[in-house]
Amino acid sequence: MSDPTRPKGPKIIAIANQKGGVGKTTTAINLAAALTEQGSRVLVVDLDPQGNASTGLGIEMDAREYTTYDLLLDDASLDDVILPTEKDGMSIIPATVDLSSADIELIANEKRSFLLHDALRQPAMDKFNWDFILIDCPPSLNLLTVNAMIAAHSVLIPLQSEFFALEGLSQLMLTVREVRQSANAGLRIEGVVLTMYDARNNLSQQVEQDARDNLGELVFDTKIPRNVRVSEAPSFAQPVLDYDPASKGAEAYRTLAKELVAKNLRTAA
Ligand code: ADP
Ligand code: MG
């Protein structure tokens, strides 16, 4: 995939929502897998100390010698931190629980908000030829998430189709606005994607209606259904696209990837 507005460098997307359990990591893993299947080269950056994206993509603990922590705070080289996954064209910078102390260590660092920006946008990144970099954010609006928003071109927000889903959204949007005003004027909202959608459940339909009424075009047409295969896949260390390629969840992430790419071509035209 090539985008004429970005003659050089990948599109960097932060996958963020300060609520836990809304589908950030699931979306990072499976959107990355779908984009890769469709011909893109994709890097996933695990920015959550829980390391769920790393685990879900089969990176064993003892393979995580160099992590996002080392990239941010120890100047580790890209060659050391970027690990290949089972999927050709898709790599990951893994995380461990070490990253939980980074939030505090960052406070003492003068360049604290720009460390991920500087790491991901360094010239040494060019040789990898990524089309996309997807950052899996922690469930918090802390300095790590701010780093992601400053490093990124856009923010993709998974919204769980359940009660109170929209509640935290205004705070998230406020943070995006603050980052725009202070450090990253070009930051866009890539879109809001409804996750764990259950068409038989009135509540899911209500959340969808509210989201579309309030956020309009920002909401992706594609919804990710609640699908047990999606939740099983991480324990097999695979994206659902490989674990069960024909599942409803795999199909939905493929459709989301197509919608994302089409949207980016449209805004580039
Ligand atoms: P977050 O990263 O926002 O904390 P996760 O992606 O880890 O959220 O998802 C939370 C839980 O919900 C996980 O157990 C995950 O397997 C499950 N889950 C996410 N998306 C789906 C889905 N579409 N269908 C079923 N389970 C899902
Ligand atoms: Mg997560």
Side-chain angles (χ1 to χ4, degrees):
M1 196 214 80
S2 75
D3 174 344
T5 61
R6 290 180 297 107
K8 223 166 162 230
K11 169 114 189 201
I12 305 177
I13 303 176
I15 301 180
N17 186 328
Q18 74 274 28
K19 274 196 182 183
V22 299
K24 288 181 290 299
T25 300
T26 304
T27 297
I29 289 176
N30 292 300
L31 180 59
L35 288 165
T36 307
E37 267 190 14
Q38 291 163 24
S40 290
R41 291 179 49 78
V42 186
L43 174 67
V44 174
V45 178
D46 193 344
L47 198 62
D48 185 344
Q50 293 177 79
N52 292 340
S54 311
T55 307
L57 287 173
I59 310 297
E60 307 271 352
M61 268 306 165
D62 54 17
R64 300 181 208 175
E65 190 182 353
Y66 297 100
T67 65
T68 313
Y69 177 95
D70 302 294
L71 181 71
L72 292 175
L73 289 152
D74 281 343
D75 255 340
S77 79
L78 294 173
D79 289 315
D80 281 337
V81 294
I82 296 177
L83 302 180
T85 70
E86 294 282 312
K87 226 173 166 63
D88 220 13
M90 177 174 169
S91 294
I92 182 166
I93 303 180
T96 61
V97 70
D98 285 1
L99 197 55
S100 57
S101 66
D103 190 45
I104 302 190
E105 289 175 48
L106 283 170
I107 294 173
N109 192 306
E110 213 180 313
K111 290 170 65 185
R112 57 186 174 237
S113 307
F114 286 86
L115 291 172
L116 188 61
H117 173 277
D118 294 354
L120 296 183
R121 298 199 186 207
Q122 61 181 291
M125 196 59 109
D126 294 351
K127 71 169 186 206
F128 294 95
N129 264 316
W130 307 118
D131 295 298
F132 291 94
I133 298 180
L134 304 186
I135 307 170
D136 184 25
C137 291
S140 148
L141 292 172
N142 61 11
L143 258 176
L144 287 169
T145 298
V146 170
N147 260 269
M149 288 185 183
I150 292 176
H153 299 100
S154 66
V155 180
L156 191 154
I157 304 167
L159 195 71
Q160 189 181 353
S161 312
E162 62 147 38
F163 207 52
F164 296 130
L166 284 146
E167 252 197 357
L169 220 53
S170 53
Q171 208 191 343
L172 180 59
M173 294 298 190
L174 194 67
T175 306
V176 170
R177 211 170 306 143
E178 279 167 8
V179 168
R180 262 189 209 136
Q181 284 164 0
S182 59
N184 184 4
L187 183 65
R188 295 269 172 280
I189 304 285
E190 189 69 47
V192 173
V193 60
L194 290 157
T195 61
M196 299 178 239
Y197 190 85
D198 180 356
R200 293 159 306 180
N201 186 334
N202 284 337
L203 201 50
S204 277
Q205 295 175 22
Q206 189 61 51
V207 171
E208 177 178 16
Q209 196 57 54
D210 285 355
R212 295 197 189 281
D213 288 348
N214 285 291
L215 303 163
E217 283 198 344
L218 283 183
V219 184
F220 281 99
D221 293 338
T222 310
K223 296 174 286 210
I224 308 300
R226 185 176 282 284
N227 175 223
V228 67
R229 309 303 268 171
V230 172
S231 55
E232 287 168 3
S235 48
F236 294 84
Q238 283 182 326
V240 73
L241 281 85
D242 295 324
Y243 172 65
D244 188 350
S247 62
K248 289 237 156 58
E251 277 307 329
Y253 276 108
R254 287 191 192 100
T255 309
L256 181 66
K258 286 185 187 145
E259 190 179 350
L260 177 81
V261 168
K263 217 173 172 180
N264 276 274
L265 290 175
R266 217 166 39 240
T267 43

